[in-house]
Amino acid sequence: MIWVAATLIAATAQTVRNAAQAGLTREIGTIGATAVRFLFGFPFAVLALLLAAAWWPMPRPDLTVIGWAALGAMAQIAATAFMLLTMRDKGFGVATALMKTEPVTLAVIGAIVLAEPLGPARLGVIALATLGVVLASGATWGRAGWGAVTTGILSGALFGLSSIGFRGALLALSDGGYVIRAITVLAVTLGLQATAMLAWLLLRDRSSLRGIASQWRLSVGAGALGAFASLFWFMGFALTPAANVRTLALVEVVLAQVLSGRVFRQTIRPAQLAGMALILAGVGWLLAVTVR
């Protein structure tokens, strides 16, 4: 049951973090808002690693671990950028729903790359929950902006690839329990991401860097929430296949729609409520087939 609790904590923190990043996008642009979660999350990851070192022996990441982490890190940067683009064009709740087609990607890639076949029951769970995502998105598909729909689905696919990278890194890091391995991979991942984003901003987009500095209070909060959420995602990945974690995480769609209604004043239609009900049914089915 630990992975269930970790996933629910991560999904809640990520929903709040995404809302903060959506606000930052209007102030400092897509690239700047993408960089915030990594630049301001990395110090919190280092602090967590230092505190953990007082309790547990530190694992030693090798090149295999770093390679998997780099795959996850770069895919997550791209996924975050596409997510923020979708939020700008289609709204917060819709963007969250579209990118949550991620479990489909995970089901395919995880089976091929990590040899984690899901079986008929879990595939049924993913199909049911994904149908719920389509309905909960609230998009008017006949006249929707297909560019935004495409970026949302691409964001989900890249988030799926990033989850495979993080799961691979955690499995390759054989020393220590799931908590210290999660903290170690988190620090490595955010270090890679912060370095890549800082280099890009210094070379290509210094105006966004100045914008980040001007919005540092909100950026610190988004970074802290991002690191906190990622730590619990990684704990989940260390304990069960990534597809299980990300399917359960579809409860984030429900949280996002509630937040959209209360904070962003977006209307939730009956079809979206039906979609959220399907998501919750899929999550219940997942728990029934995985938790013994």
Side-chain angles (χ1 to χ4, degrees):
M1 291 293 291
I2 295 175
W3 74 268
V4 174
T7 300
L8 294 176
I9 292 170
T12 303
Q14 182 163 292
T15 300
V16 180
R17 195 278 322 280
N18 286 348
Q21 278 190 286
L24 280 169
T25 303
R26 292 188 293 270
E27 301 294 331
I28 59 178
T30 300
I31 298 299
T34 300
V36 159
R37 67 177 294 186
F38 309 123
L39 294 176
F40 288 87
F42 179 53
F44 289 100
V46 172
L47 177 61
L49 189 62
L50 292 174
L51 291 174
W55 295 91
W56 296 289
M58 295 301 300
R60 296 175 179 265
D62 58 17
L63 290 178
T64 301
V65 173
I66 294 172
W68 279 112
L71 171 64
M74 296 306 106
Q76 191 178 54
I77 288 176
T80 302
F82 282 118
M83 176 193 75
L84 294 175
L85 282 172
T86 309
M87 284 182 179
R88 184 189 66 186
D89 293 339
K90 295 297 291 181
F92 178 69
V94 170
T96 301
L98 285 170
M99 71 185 184
K100 289 306 173 184
T101 53
E102 173 189 355
V104 178
T105 306
L106 277 170
V108 175
I109 299 178
I112 295 172
V113 177
L114 296 178
E116 294 178 339
L118 298 177
R122 288 183 175 86
L123 290 174
V125 167
I126 290 171
L128 179 63
T130 301
L131 175 60
V133 166
V134 173
L135 291 174
S137 70
T140 306
W141 303 105
R143 54 189 179 85
W146 286 102
V149 173
T150 300
T151 58
I153 293 174
L154 183 57
S155 173
L158 287 167
F159 273 124
L161 183 61
S162 72
S163 297
I164 292 296
F166 300 145
R167 169 78 169 162
L170 289 159
L171 293 177
L173 191 65
S174 57
D175 296 333
Y178 69 93
V179 175
I180 190 61
R181 285 189 290 129
I183 295 173
T184 301
V185 172
L186 175 66
V188 170
T189 299
L190 285 176
L192 292 169
Q193 291 169 323
T195 300
M197 292 304 301
L198 183 60
W200 174 267
L201 292 173
L202 286 171
L203 292 173
R204 302 294 298 273
D205 196 357
R206 294 193 179 186
S207 62
S208 291
L209 196 58
R210 290 191 291 270
I212 290 171
S214 69
Q215 298 290 326
W216 67 269
R217 289 183 178 85
L218 189 55
S219 297
V220 167
L225 281 168
F228 181 79
S230 294
L231 175 59
F232 281 91
W233 287 132
F234 287 7
M235 287 184 189
F237 293 152
L239 293 168
T240 192
N244 289 346
V245 173
R246 289 309 201 186
T247 303
L248 176 58
L250 290 176
V251 295
E252 184 185 348
V253 175
V254 180
L255 296 174
Q257 292 292 4
V258 172
L259 195 60
S260 292
R262 292 187 175 275
V263 178
F264 296 103
R265 305 301 181 187
Q266 295 173 359
T267 302
I268 301 176
R269 297 194 295 270
Q272 291 174 278
L273 292 174
M276 287 187 277
L278 288 178
I279 291 169
L280 293 177
V283 166
W285 188 4
L286 172 71
L287 296 178
V289 300
T290 57
V291 178
R292 297 287 186 264

